[in-house]
Structure formats: structure tokens, C-alpha cells
Amino acid sequence: TGIQNSGVQQVTVYLDNQPIGGIETLRSITTPSVNSMEFLSPTRAANVVSNTPNGIVTAVILIKTK
């Protein structure tokens, strides 16, 4: 698992611990269903998220639903 270090920071959105896509997927989530949302830097995400798409660690937005 590597930490991506490019000029543009990639973000992966996780919904209930499952990766669902990039930041554009936030538009499809209804706010009444959200219990919590947390941003994780790539370094922190490497220690928290285990199922990274393609084995590449990006910044992560963790969303937990009700």
C-alpha cells in the first residue's frame, strides 16, 4: 500500500466502510441519512482504512449512515 504524493490530492469517499468513489459521489448522498462524516489525510487513512481501491491510499472522507 503506497501513499499517493502528487500535486493534486485524490479523495476516496467511503460509505459505511465501503469505497464508493471520488468526491463527486458526495452529491448522491442524502443528508438525512448521514450520522457522521470525517476527513482523513492519506497518512491517517493508511492506518484506518483497510480496503483501499487498487492498493493506493488517498485522502478519505468516511461517512457513516444512521
Coordinates of all heavy atoms in Angstrom, one line a residue:
T1 N 0.9 -1.2 0.0 CA 0.0 0.0 0.0 C 0.9 1.2 0.0 O 1.7 1.4 0.9 CB -0.9 0.0 1.2 OG1 -1.6 -1.2 1.3 CG2 -1.9 1.2 1.2
G2 N 0.7 2.1 -1.0 CA 1.5 3.3 -1.0 C 0.7 4.6 -0.8 O -0.5 4.6 -0.9
I3 N 1.3 5.6 -0.4 CA 0.7 6.9 -0.2 C 0.9 7.7 -1.4 O 2.0 7.9 -1.9 CB 1.2 7.6 1.1 CG1 0.8 6.8 2.3 CG2 0.6 9.0 1.2 CD1 1.4 7.4 3.6
Q4 N -0.2 8.2 -2.0 CA -0.1 8.9 -3.2 C 0.4 10.3 -3.0 O -0.1 11.1 -2.1 CB -1.5 9.0 -3.9 CG -1.4 9.6 -5.3 CD -2.7 9.3 -6.0 OE1 -3.5 8.4 -5.6 NE2 -3.0 10.1 -7.0
N5 N 1.5 10.8 -3.6 CA 2.1 12.1 -3.4 C 2.1 12.8 -4.7 O 3.2 12.9 -5.3 CB 3.5 11.9 -2.9 CG 3.6 12.2 -1.4 OD1 2.7 12.9 -0.9 ND2 4.6 11.8 -0.8
S6 N 1.0 13.3 -5.2 CA 1.0 14.2 -6.4 C 0.6 15.6 -6.0 O 0.2 15.8 -4.9 CB 0.1 13.6 -7.4 OG -1.3 13.6 -7.0
G7 N 0.7 16.5 -7.0 CA 0.3 17.9 -6.7 C -1.2 18.0 -6.4 O -1.6 18.9 -5.7
V8 N -2.0 17.1 -7.0 CA -3.5 17.2 -6.7 C -3.8 16.0 -5.8 O -3.5 14.9 -6.0 CB -4.2 17.0 -8.1 CG1 -5.7 16.9 -7.8 CG2 -3.9 18.1 -9.0
Q9 N -4.5 16.4 -4.7 CA -4.8 15.4 -3.7 C -6.1 14.6 -4.2 O -7.1 15.2 -4.4 CB -5.1 16.0 -2.4 CG -5.3 15.0 -1.3 CD -5.3 15.6 0.1 OE1 -5.6 16.7 0.3 NE2 -4.8 14.8 1.1
Q10 N -6.0 13.3 -4.2 CA -7.1 12.5 -4.6 C -7.9 12.2 -3.3 O -7.3 12.1 -2.2 CB -6.6 11.1 -5.1 CG -5.9 11.2 -6.4 CD -6.8 11.5 -7.6 OE1 -7.9 11.1 -7.6 NE2 -6.2 12.2 -8.5
V11 N -9.2 12.1 -3.4 CA -10.1 11.8 -2.2 C -11.0 10.6 -2.6 O -11.6 10.6 -3.7 CB -10.9 13.0 -1.9 CG1 -11.9 12.6 -0.7 CG2 -10.1 14.2 -1.5
T12 N -11.0 9.6 -1.7 CA -11.9 8.5 -1.9 C -13.0 8.6 -0.8 O -12.7 8.8 0.4 CB -11.2 7.1 -1.8 OG1 -10.1 7.1 -2.7 CG2 -12.1 6.0 -2.0
V13 N -14.3 8.5 -1.2 CA -15.4 8.5 -0.3 C -15.7 7.1 0.1 O -15.9 6.2 -0.7 CB -16.6 9.2 -0.9 CG1 -17.8 9.2 0.0 CG2 -16.2 10.7 -1.3
Y14 N -15.9 6.9 1.4 CA -16.3 5.6 2.0 C -17.7 5.8 2.6 O -17.8 6.7 3.5 CB -15.3 5.1 3.0 CG -14.1 4.5 2.4 CD1 -13.1 5.2 1.8 CD2 -13.9 3.1 2.5 CE1 -12.0 4.7 1.3 CE2 -12.7 2.5 2.0 CZ -11.8 3.3 1.4 OH -10.7 2.7 0.9
L15 N -18.6 4.9 2.3 CA -19.9 4.9 2.9 C -20.1 3.6 3.7 O -20.0 2.6 3.1 CB -21.0 5.0 1.8 CG -22.4 5.1 2.3 CD1 -22.6 6.4 3.1 CD2 -23.4 5.1 1.2
D16 N -20.2 3.8 5.0 CA -20.2 2.6 5.9 C -19.1 1.6 5.6 O -19.4 0.4 5.4 CB -21.6 1.9 5.8 CG -22.7 2.9 6.3 OD1 -22.5 3.6 7.3 OD2 -23.8 2.9 5.7
N17 N -17.9 2.1 5.5 CA -16.7 1.4 5.4 C -16.5 0.7 4.0 O -15.6 -0.1 3.9 CB -16.5 0.3 6.5 CG -16.4 0.9 7.8 OD1 -15.7 2.0 8.0 ND2 -17.1 0.4 8.8
Q18 N -17.2 1.1 3.0 CA -17.1 0.6 1.6 C -16.7 1.8 0.7 O -17.5 2.8 0.7 CB -18.4 -0.1 1.2 CG -18.7 -1.3 1.9 CD -17.6 -2.4 1.8 OE1 -17.1 -2.7 0.7 NE2 -17.3 -3.0 2.9
P19 N -15.7 1.7 -0.1 CA -15.4 2.7 -1.0 C -16.5 2.9 -2.1 O -16.9 1.9 -2.7 CB -14.0 2.3 -1.6 CG -13.9 0.8 -1.4 CD -14.8 0.5 -0.2
I20 N -16.9 4.1 -2.3 CA -18.0 4.3 -3.3 C -17.6 5.2 -4.4 O -18.3 5.4 -5.4 CB -19.3 4.8 -2.6 CG1 -19.1 6.2 -2.0 CG2 -19.9 3.8 -1.7 CD1 -20.3 6.9 -1.6
G21 N -16.4 5.8 -4.4 CA -15.9 6.6 -5.5 C -15.2 7.8 -5.0 O -14.8 7.9 -3.8
G22 N -15.1 8.8 -5.9 CA -14.4 10.0 -5.6 C -15.3 11.0 -5.0 O -16.5 10.7 -4.7
I23 N -14.8 12.2 -4.8 CA -15.5 13.3 -4.2 C -16.9 13.6 -4.8 O -17.8 14.0 -4.2 CB -14.6 14.5 -4.0 CG1 -15.2 15.4 -2.9 CG2 -14.5 15.3 -5.3 CD1 -14.2 16.4 -2.3
E24 N -17.0 13.4 -6.1 CA -18.2 13.7 -6.8 C -19.4 12.8 -6.3 O -20.5 13.2 -6.5 CB -18.0 13.5 -8.4 CG -17.8 12.0 -8.8 CD -16.4 11.5 -8.6 OE1 -15.5 12.2 -8.2 OE2 -16.3 10.3 -8.8
T25 N -19.1 11.7 -5.7 CA -20.2 10.8 -5.2 C -20.9 11.4 -4.0 O -22.0 11.0 -3.6 CB -19.6 9.4 -4.8 OG1 -18.6 9.6 -3.8 CG2 -19.0 8.7 -6.0
L26 N -20.3 12.5 -3.4 CA -21.0 13.1 -2.3 C -22.3 13.7 -2.7 O -23.3 13.8 -1.9 CB -20.1 14.2 -1.7 CG -18.9 13.8 -1.0 CD1 -18.0 15.0 -0.6 CD2 -19.2 13.0 0.3
R27 N -22.5 14.0 -3.9 CA -23.8 14.6 -4.4 C -24.9 13.6 -4.3 O -26.1 14.0 -4.3 CB -23.6 15.1 -5.9 CG -22.7 16.2 -6.0 CD -22.6 16.6 -7.5 NE -21.6 17.6 -7.7 CZ -21.7 18.9 -7.6 NH1 -22.9 19.4 -7.3 NH2 -20.7 19.7 -7.9
S28 N -24.6 12.3 -4.4 CA -25.7 11.3 -4.4 C -26.1 10.9 -3.0 O -27.0 10.1 -2.8 CB -25.2 10.1 -5.1 OG -24.1 9.5 -4.4
I29 N -25.5 11.4 -1.9 CA -25.8 11.0 -0.6 C -26.8 12.1 0.0 O -26.5 13.3 0.0 CB -24.5 10.9 0.3 CG1 -23.6 9.9 -0.3 CG2 -24.9 10.6 1.7 CD1 -22.2 9.9 0.3
T30 N -27.9 11.6 0.6 CA -28.8 12.5 1.2 C -28.4 12.8 2.6 O -28.1 11.9 3.4 CB -30.3 11.9 1.2 OG1 -30.3 10.6 1.8 CG2 -30.7 11.6 -0.3
T31 N -28.5 14.0 3.0 CA -28.0 14.4 4.3 C -28.8 13.8 5.5 O -28.3 13.5 6.5 CB -28.0 15.9 4.5 OG1 -29.2 16.5 4.1 CG2 -26.9 16.5 3.6
P32 N -30.2 13.6 5.4 CA -30.9 12.9 6.5 C -30.3 11.5 6.8 O -30.5 11.1 8.0 CB -32.3 12.9 6.0 CG -32.5 13.9 5.0 CD -31.1 13.9 4.3
S33 N -29.7 10.9 5.9 CA -29.2 9.5 6.2 C -27.8 9.5 6.8 O -27.3 8.5 7.3 CB -29.1 8.7 4.9 OG -28.2 9.3 4.0
V34 N -27.1 10.7 6.9 CA -25.8 10.8 7.4 C -25.8 10.9 8.9 O -26.4 11.8 9.5 CB -25.0 11.9 6.7 CG1 -23.6 12.1 7.4 CG2 -24.9 11.7 5.2
N35 N -25.0 10.0 9.6 CA -24.8 10.1 11.0 C -23.6 10.9 11.3 O -23.5 11.7 12.2 CB -24.8 8.7 11.6 CG -24.8 8.7 13.1 OD1 -25.5 9.5 13.7 ND2 -23.9 7.9 13.7
S36 N -22.5 10.6 10.6 CA -21.2 11.3 10.8 C -20.4 11.3 9.5 O -20.6 10.5 8.6 CB -20.4 10.7 11.9 OG -20.0 9.4 11.5
M37 N -19.5 12.3 9.4 CA -18.6 12.4 8.3 C -17.3 12.9 8.8 O -17.2 13.8 9.7 CB -19.2 13.5 7.3 CG -18.4 13.6 6.0 SD -19.1 14.9 4.9 CE -20.7 14.1 4.5
E38 N -16.2 12.3 8.3 CA -14.9 12.6 8.8 C -13.9 12.6 7.7 O -13.9 11.7 6.9 CB -14.4 11.6 9.9 CG -13.1 11.9 10.5 CD -12.7 10.8 11.5 OE1 -13.4 9.9 11.7 OE2 -11.6 11.0 12.1
F39 N -13.0 13.6 7.6 CA -11.9 13.7 6.6 C -10.7 13.1 7.2 O -10.3 13.4 8.4 CB -11.7 15.1 6.2 CG -10.5 15.2 5.3 CD1 -10.7 15.0 3.9 CD2 -9.2 15.5 5.7 CE1 -9.6 15.1 3.0 CE2 -8.1 15.6 4.9 CZ -8.3 15.4 3.5
L40 N -10.0 12.2 6.5 CA -8.7 11.6 6.9 C -7.7 11.9 5.9 O -7.8 11.7 4.7 CB -8.9 10.1 7.0 CG -9.9 9.5 7.9 CD1 -10.0 8.0 7.8 CD2 -9.7 10.0 9.3
S41 N -6.5 12.4 6.4 CA -5.4 12.6 5.5 C -4.9 11.3 5.0 O -5.2 10.2 5.6 CB -4.2 13.3 6.3 OG -3.7 12.4 7.2
P42 N -4.1 11.2 3.9 CA -3.6 9.9 3.4 C -2.8 9.2 4.4 O -3.0 7.9 4.6 CB -2.7 10.3 2.2 CG -3.3 11.6 1.7 CD -3.8 12.3 3.0
T43 N -2.1 9.9 5.3 CA -1.3 9.2 6.3 C -2.2 8.5 7.3 O -2.0 7.4 7.7 CB -0.3 10.2 7.0 OG1 0.5 10.8 6.0 CG2 0.5 9.5 8.1
R44 N -3.2 9.3 7.8 CA -4.2 8.7 8.8 C -5.0 7.6 8.1 O -5.3 6.6 8.7 CB -5.0 9.8 9.3 CG -6.0 9.3 10.4 CD -6.1 10.2 11.6 NE -7.0 9.5 12.5 CZ -8.3 9.7 12.6 NH1 -8.9 10.6 11.8 NH2 -9.1 9.1 13.5
A45 N -5.4 7.8 6.9 CA -6.3 6.8 6.2 C -5.5 5.5 6.0 O -6.1 4.4 6.1 CB -6.7 7.3 4.8
A46 N -4.2 5.5 5.9 CA -3.4 4.3 5.8 C -3.5 3.4 7.0 O -3.4 2.2 7.0 CB -2.0 4.6 5.5
N47 N -3.8 4.1 8.2 CA -3.9 3.4 9.4 C -5.3 3.0 9.8 O -5.6 2.2 10.7 CB -3.3 4.2 10.6 CG -1.8 4.4 10.4 OD1 -1.1 3.5 10.1 ND2 -1.4 5.6 10.6
V48 N -6.3 3.6 9.1 CA -7.7 3.4 9.5 C -8.5 2.6 8.5 O -9.3 1.7 8.8 CB -8.4 4.8 9.6 CG1 -9.9 4.6 9.9 CG2 -7.8 5.6 10.8
V49 N -8.2 2.8 7.2 CA -9.0 2.1 6.1 C -8.2 0.9 5.6 O -7.0 1.0 5.3 CB -9.2 3.1 5.0 CG1 -9.9 2.4 3.8 CG2 -10.0 4.3 5.5
S50 N -8.9 -0.2 5.5 CA -8.1 -1.4 5.1 C -8.4 -1.9 3.7 O -7.6 -2.5 3.1 CB -8.5 -2.6 6.1 OG -9.9 -2.9 6.0
N51 N -9.5 -1.5 3.1 CA -9.9 -2.0 1.8 C -9.8 -0.8 0.8 O -10.7 -0.3 0.3 CB -11.3 -2.5 1.8 CG -12.3 -1.6 2.3 OD1 -12.0 -0.6 3.0 ND2 -13.6 -1.9 2.0
T52 N -8.5 -0.4 0.5 CA -8.2 0.7 -0.5 C -8.3 0.2 -1.9 O -7.8 -0.8 -2.2 CB -6.9 1.3 -0.2 OG1 -5.9 0.3 -0.4 CG2 -6.8 1.9 1.2
P53 N -9.1 0.9 -2.7 CA -9.1 0.6 -4.2 C -7.8 0.6 -4.8 O -7.0 1.5 -4.6 CB -10.0 1.6 -4.8 CG -10.7 2.3 -3.6 CD -9.8 2.1 -2.4
N54 N -7.4 -0.5 -5.5 CA -6.1 -0.6 -6.2 C -4.9 -0.5 -5.3 O -3.8 -0.3 -5.7 CB -6.0 0.5 -7.3 CG -7.1 0.4 -8.3 OD1 -7.6 -0.6 -8.7 ND2 -7.6 1.6 -8.7
G55 N -5.1 -0.6 -4.0 CA -4.0 -0.6 -3.0 C -3.4 0.8 -2.9 O -2.3 0.9 -2.3
I56 N -4.0 1.8 -3.4 CA -3.5 3.2 -3.3 C -4.2 3.9 -2.2 O -5.4 4.0 -2.2 CB -3.6 3.9 -4.6 CG1 -2.8 3.2 -5.7 CG2 -3.2 5.4 -4.5 CD1 -3.1 3.7 -7.1
V57 N -3.4 4.5 -1.3 CA -4.0 5.2 -0.2 C -4.2 6.7 -0.6 O -3.2 7.3 -1.0 CB -3.2 5.1 1.1 CG1 -3.8 6.0 2.2 CG2 -3.1 3.7 1.5
T58 N -5.4 7.2 -0.5 CA -5.7 8.6 -0.8 C -6.2 9.2 0.5 O -6.4 8.6 1.5 CB -6.7 8.7 -1.9 OG1 -8.0 8.2 -1.4 CG2 -6.3 8.0 -3.2
A59 N -6.5 10.5 0.4 CA -7.2 11.1 1.5 C -8.6 10.5 1.4 O -9.1 10.0 0.4 CB -7.4 12.6 1.2
V60 N -9.3 10.4 2.5 CA -10.6 9.7 2.6 C -11.6 10.6 3.4 O -11.3 11.3 4.3 CB -10.4 8.4 3.4 CG1 -11.7 7.7 3.8 CG2 -9.5 7.4 2.6
I61 N -12.8 10.5 2.9 CA -14.0 11.0 3.6 C -14.8 9.8 4.0 O -15.3 9.1 3.2 CB -14.8 12.0 2.7 CG1 -14.0 13.2 2.4 CG2 -16.1 12.4 3.5 CD1 -14.7 14.2 1.4
L62 N -14.8 9.6 5.4 CA -15.6 8.5 5.9 C -17.0 9.0 6.3 O -17.1 9.9 7.0 CB -15.0 8.0 7.2 CG -13.7 7.2 7.1 CD1 -13.2 6.9 8.5 CD2 -13.8 5.9 6.3
I63 N -18.0 8.3 5.7 CA -19.4 8.7 6.0 C -20.1 7.5 6.7 O -20.0 6.4 6.1 CB -20.2 9.1 4.8 CG1 -19.5 10.3 4.1 CG2 -21.6 9.4 5.1 CD1 -20.0 10.6 2.7
K64 N -20.7 7.7 7.8 CA -21.5 6.6 8.4 C -22.9 7.0 8.4 O -23.3 8.2 8.7 CB -21.0 6.4 9.9 CG -19.6 5.9 9.9 CD -19.1 5.4 11.2 CE -17.6 5.1 11.0 NZ -17.2 4.1 11.8
T65 N -23.8 6.1 8.0 CA -25.2 6.4 8.0 C -25.9 5.9 9.2 O -25.4 5.2 10.0 CB -25.8 5.7 6.7 OG1 -25.6 4.3 6.8 CG2 -25.3 6.3 5.4
K66 N -27.1 6.4 9.4 CA -27.9 6.1 10.6 C -28.5 4.7 10.5 O -28.6 4.1 9.4 CB -29.1 7.1 10.7 CG -28.6 8.5 10.9 CD -29.7 9.5 11.0 CE -29.2 10.9 11.1 NZ -30.2 11.9 11.1

